[in-house]
Amino acid sequence: MHPTLTIAVKAARRAGATINRAANDIDRLHIEAKSARDFVTEVDRAAERAIIEVLLDAFPGHGILAEESGLSAGKPDADYQWIIDPLDGTTNYIHGFPQYAVSIALAHAGVIEQAVVYDPSRNELFYATKGGGAFLDDRRIRVSRRTKLAESLLATGFPFREFDHIDAYLAMFRDLCQKTAGIRRPGAAALDLAYVACGRVDGFWEMGLKPWDMAGGALLVQEAGGLISDLAGDSDYLSTGNLVAGSPKIFAQLLPIIQAHRPAGVTA
């Protein structure tokens, strides 16, 4: 394991311990609404502080982009930037629905080089180094070998922050429901992408994501042999927030269907 990745794993596990302790008494959590259907708890903030402490202790010259604290920690103009979601799937978490994860990625000059997605409820650790492959615990993982969209299982994320493009999304959903074996909406994009990487689902799409939702999972997919793009088929998904991912054969069939229903005015 790359030495930088080792530190990221340490940070993810420390955050996971915080998350697991609080999961035993969810009813006592203080929950705030950042906006409609978008929540934050003291656990999100505590997990984020734990991650940042570990990372900056090891790499004080690095920058931090975190869901809850933004760019307030680290050096915002650093070449190396950690992109952190301390608890992806907060809504699931506060309902006791065990589908959530810690996501940590390291970008160098805008290119993701290290990634960790840790599921504390299952103690599953997904990680990848650019050019070094993707792993689940100590096992190398690959995207699925399915070649037919009709036999594939997809994951998606329903719009929940903004509903400007809900009609376009529903058209995508309606079309793909009829052309696949099934669609799931687990509720944590980082884990959805990790599941694409290990072949549990064959493809994934979502619109309106944030960089911390995607950064770690995106590298996992790529290092597991999958493809990932924005709605235009380009690599600007971290900027646009719109993402399509899958094994190569499924991605090639999935992307044109998504593009056929792309919202008016949305180029990528």
Side-chain angles (χ1 to χ4, degrees):
M1 185 180 291
H2 191 281
T4 307
L5 189 61
T6 300
I7 299 298
V9 168
K10 177 182 177 181
R13 289 197 181 278
R14 185 169 296 181
T18 298
I19 291 165
N20 279 342
R21 282 195 300 270
N24 295 323
D25 205 1
I26 288 176
D27 290 341
R28 298 184 63 182
L29 287 182
H30 176 66
I31 300 167
E32 299 174 23
K34 294 189 285 188
S35 61
R37 296 164 298 279
D38 193 5
F39 302 98
V40 62
T41 72
E42 65 229 61
V43 178
D44 296 73
R45 295 189 176 109
E48 185 169 292
R49 288 194 299 270
I51 293 168
I52 291 172
E53 180 180 322
V54 171
L55 296 180
L56 291 185
D57 182 59
F59 308 108
H62 285 192
I64 300 285
L65 173 61
E67 179 176 14
E68 307 308 334
S69 58
L71 294 166
S72 62
K75 298 186 176 180
D77 58 348
D79 287 340
Y80 286 93
Q81 183 183 63
W82 293 96
I83 305 173
I84 301 164
D85 192 337
L87 179 50
D88 183 37
T90 298
T91 300
N92 285 348
Y93 181 73
I94 62 180
H95 285 83
F97 188 83
Q99 188 75 5
Y100 45 82
V102 179
S103 180
I104 303 173
L106 177 64
H108 180 221
V111 177
I112 306 299
E113 294 189 344
Q114 310 291 341
V116 176
V117 174
Y118 177 52
D119 179 347
S121 69
R122 298 178 180 86
N123 194 28
E124 288 190 330
L125 182 73
F126 299 86
Y127 57 92
T129 295
K130 186 173 177 60
F135 296 81
L136 168 52
D137 297 325
D138 295 324
R139 177 174 60 85
R140 183 77 178 260
I141 54 175
R142 299 287 296 178
V143 294
S144 79
R145 297 180 179 179
R146 288 186 183 83
T147 60
K148 297 179 180 179
L149 187 65
E151 297 174 354
S152 68
L153 180 66
L154 303 183
T156 188
F158 302 150
F160 72 97
R161 290 189 183 99
E162 299 178 2
F163 292 88
D164 294 349
H165 306 309
I166 186 67
D167 291 337
Y169 174 81
L170 291 174
M172 297 172 189
F173 188 87
R174 185 183 306 112
D175 202 350
L176 287 164
C177 275
Q178 300 173 70
K179 294 179 178 177
T180 63
I183 300 176
R184 302 290 181 264
R185 198 279 188 181
L191 272 183
D192 292 336
L193 289 166
Y195 283 13
V196 172
C198 70
R200 292 176 183 172
V201 295
D202 305 292
F204 169 75
W205 90 96
E206 189 167 354
M207 297 186 293
L209 293 168
K210 301 296 185 182
W212 45 78
D213 298 318
M214 301 176 279
L219 183 63
L220 288 172
V221 171
Q222 292 168 324
E223 288 299 319
L227 299 176
I228 190 163
S229 78
D230 57 25
L231 300 191
D234 297 326
S235 59
D236 290 333
Y237 47 88
L238 289 179
S239 298
T240 68
N242 303 322
L243 180 146
V244 182
S247 60
K249 296 287 187 181
I250 299 304
F251 177 89
Q253 299 166 69
L254 176 61
L255 181 60
I257 296 173
I258 299 297
Q259 290 177 326
H261 301 291
R262 185 164 43 184
V266 175
T267 59

